[in-house]
Amino acid sequence: MELKRILLATSNLRKAEEMKRLLEAYSFQVEVPKEEIEVQEVGSSFLENAYIKAQAYYERYRMPTLADDSGLVVYALDGYPGVFSSRFYDHEYGGKEEVKTSKDEANIRKLLRLMEGIKDRRAKFVAFLILSLGDAGYWSKGECEGSILEEPKGSEGFGYDPVFQPEGMQKSMAQLKSEEKDAISHRGKAIRNLIKILRGGKL
Amino acid sequence: MELKRILLATSNLRKAEEMKRLLEAYSFQVEVPKEEIEVQEVGSSFLENAYIKAQAYYERYRMPTLADDSGLVVYALDGYPGVFSSRFYDHEYGGKEEVKTSKDEANIRKLLRLMEGIKDRRAKFVAFLILSLGDAGYWSKGECEGSILEEPKGSEGFGYDPVFQPEGMQKSMAQLKSEEKDAISHRGKAIRNLIKILRGGKL
């Protein structure tokens, strides 16, 4: 369909930057909201949280709105941090962790603490997208399999990137240049799956 | 997009019949699954449950799959029965109810028991649809506002239809002919919203 302008339903600047880069490669005109909206991400799934965010921004701005909800799923931790990825440091599972320099750093510190001595280090990044036109829209997902490193490496990206090593690579996600990351990342895949649907193509 | 054949991700024959009728009006070729798949509807939202069903059937049949999750939201009951609508009789909220003739009858009996003496009888039917092509797809929703009757009326439809009176009508949903129901029902609206997205039109 003729859909050129998309509003990003996020106040996370690093995520907005990444999504803008991914979408502009397909000639979308990407806007970021002028005001942040307080959204209660109370859903029990990435899909539900993406929907909640998309609708909150759609209600305010009344234009096609794209929301991402994504996170890290660690097999040995029963899928945690999962939907709690961005505020894992403050979640009761596994005990809370103090924020010293940044939330990302506190989240990673907690994850590495819980993974101490655990041999099964398999994990995946998962992203769900909801594009909302109000009462209907599009959805897509993307996954990136990998494993949790023993310690952080690299300074690109954000979130858990420094401790996540994508399958088949000898680098952490945070050691990849943005084009390398986009080619294999959960969010990159989810965006490309969304583009295919928008273009009416088969997946 | 060129999408003509759709599999319905449901084993509920009354629901399948209704969705078939709604979709065939738009020249879709609708198939029902040969085998029922046991799906754990563990999501906390209609959207999530629709997604879980769509993906379960998509994994098995590998063709465009449409799932509906819908229910009755009663304002005075904090939104219950909500995602528990089809098995409300067996849910702990408000006490369990024995199945005598059918689950629908037990669900309605429990609802009327909980609504005894309650003046605020406002309620709405809500439907969410997920159309899955695997890693991406479409979503839509539809709502129908109304109120809970004091006792069941009519024998058309299914579920809570006999005790739900749509706004502005003097009949229960179960007293409407199928064309009348489709014109105002949550599922009718959700299907029409989905069709608009599939046709690339604005909502």
Side-chain angles (χ1 to χ4, degrees):
Chain A
M1 72 179 287
E2 280 297 349
L3 199 154
K4 280 286 143 200
R5 283 172 65 226
I6 291 179
L7 177 76
L8 295 184
T10 187
S11 55
N12 179 330
L13 290 178
R14 312 289 299 268
K15 191 192 276 187
E17 189 188 339
E18 192 171 302
M19 290 173 77
K20 215 164 180 305
R21 182 174 78 220
L22 283 159
L23 285 162
E24 286 176 349
Y26 294 95
S27 311
F28 284 94
Q29 190 182 323
V30 179
E31 302 189 12
V32 289
K34 290 195 179 69
E35 288 172 54
E36 178 173 350
I37 297 178
E38 186 79 35
V39 181
Q40 298 292 326
E41 297 179 29
V42 295
S44 60
S45 66
F46 297 119
L47 181 68
E48 179 65 11
N49 281 331
Y51 177 78
I52 292 169
K53 284 185 266 190
Q55 293 305 73
Y57 281 87
Y58 182 88
E59 290 303 321
R60 171 84 65 92
Y61 292 97
R62 298 276 160 184
M63 61 177 284
T65 298
L66 180 64
D68 152 289
D69 198 59
S70 46
L72 179 68
V73 170
V74 180
Y75 295 92
L77 301 180
D78 296 324
Y80 278 92
V83 292
F84 308 105
S85 290
S86 64
R87 49 193 189 282
F88 192 42
Y89 70 92
D90 197 38
H91 194 280
E92 286 179 12
Y93 176 93
K96 298 190 179 190
E97 201 75 29
E98 191 192 341
V99 174
K100 290 173 184 168
T101 57
S102 71
K103 291 180 183 177
D104 279 357
E105 191 274 329
N107 283 330
I108 286 175
R109 194 173 352 109
K110 174 165 173 176
L111 175 65
L112 293 181
R113 172 168 62 74
L114 295 178
M115 292 297 286
E116 263 174 32
I118 293 182
K119 288 222 173 106
D120 176 6
R121 304 193 72 86
R122 289 172 305 128
K124 62 179 172 183
F125 271 128
V126 178
F128 272 85
L129 301 177
I130 286 277
L131 177 53
S132 174
L133 281 70
D135 287 337
Y138 307 82
W139 65 269
S140 70
K141 68 166 175 170
E143 295 189 354
C144 178
E145 299 274 352
S147 57
I148 304 301
L149 293 168
E150 304 279 344
E151 53 187 40
K153 291 198 293 190
S155 55
E156 303 291 318
F158 60 97
Y160 296 91
D161 286 355
V163 290
F164 183 84
Q165 179 168 295
E167 210 168 53
M169 302 195 107
Q170 295 305 316
K171 290 174 173 180
S172 82
M173 197 78 120
Q175 291 177 303
L176 302 180
K177 292 188 191 116
S178 54
E179 315 86 71
E180 293 175 300
K181 179 179 177 184
D182 293 349
I184 59 149
S185 77
H186 52 313
R187 198 168 290 114
K189 288 177 189 167
I191 294 267
R192 289 189 291 278
N193 284 332
L194 183 73
I195 303 281
K196 283 186 207 159
I197 282 280
L198 284 171
R199 293 186 172 170
K202 299 215 167 169
L203 295 186
Chain B
M1 72 177 285
E2 281 296 350
L3 199 154
K4 280 285 144 201
R5 283 172 66 226
I6 291 180
L7 178 74
L8 294 184
T10 185
S11 55
N12 179 331
L13 290 178
R14 312 289 298 270
K15 190 192 276 187
E17 191 187 336
E18 191 171 302
M19 290 174 77
K20 214 166 180 310
R21 183 174 78 221
L22 284 159
L23 285 162
E24 286 176 350
Y26 294 95
S27 310
F28 284 95
Q29 190 182 324
V30 179
E31 303 190 10
V32 289
K34 292 196 179 68
E35 289 172 52
E36 179 174 348
I37 297 178
E38 187 79 37
V39 181
Q40 299 292 326
E41 297 179 31
V42 295
S44 61
S45 66
F46 297 118
L47 181 70
E48 179 66 12
N49 281 330
Y51 177 79
I52 291 170
K53 285 186 266 191
Q55 293 307 72
Y57 281 87
Y58 182 89
E59 289 304 321
R60 171 83 65 91
Y61 292 97
R62 297 275 159 186
M63 59 178 285
T65 298
L66 179 64
D68 152 289
D69 199 58
S70 45
L72 179 67
V73 170
V74 180
Y75 294 92
L77 303 179
D78 297 325
Y80 278 92
V83 293
F84 307 106
S85 290
S86 65
R87 49 190 190 287
F88 192 42
Y89 70 92
D90 197 38
H91 194 279
E92 286 179 11
Y93 176 93
K96 298 192 180 191
E97 201 75 29
E98 192 190 339
V99 174
K100 291 173 183 167
T101 56
S102 71
K103 290 180 184 176
D104 279 357
E105 190 274 328
N107 283 330
I108 286 176
R109 195 173 350 110
K110 174 165 173 176
L111 176 64
L112 293 182
R113 174 168 61 73
L114 295 179
M115 291 298 285
E116 264 173 31
I118 293 183
K119 288 222 175 105
D120 176 6
R121 304 193 73 86
R122 291 173 304 128
K124 62 180 173 182
F125 271 128
V126 178
F128 272 85
L129 300 177
I130 286 278
L131 177 54
S132 174
L133 280 71
D135 288 337
Y138 306 83
W139 65 269
S140 70
K141 68 167 175 169
E143 296 189 353
C144 177
E145 298 276 351
S147 58
I148 303 301
L149 294 167
E150 303 279 345
E151 52 186 41
K153 292 198 294 188
S155 55
E156 303 291 318
F158 60 97
Y160 297 91
D161 286 354
V163 290
F164 183 85
Q165 180 169 294
E167 209 168 52
M169 302 195 107
Q170 295 305 316
K171 290 173 170 180
S172 83
M173 197 78 120
Q175 291 178 301
L176 302 180
K177 292 190 188 112
S178 54
E179 314 85 73
E180 291 176 302
K181 179 179 177 183
D182 293 351
I184 59 149
S185 78
H186 51 313
R187 199 169 289 114
K189 288 177 190 167
I191 293 268
R192 288 190 291 279
N193 285 331
L194 183 72
I195 303 282
K196 282 186 210 158
I197 281 281
L198 284 170
R199 293 187 171 168
K202 299 218 164 167
L203 294 186

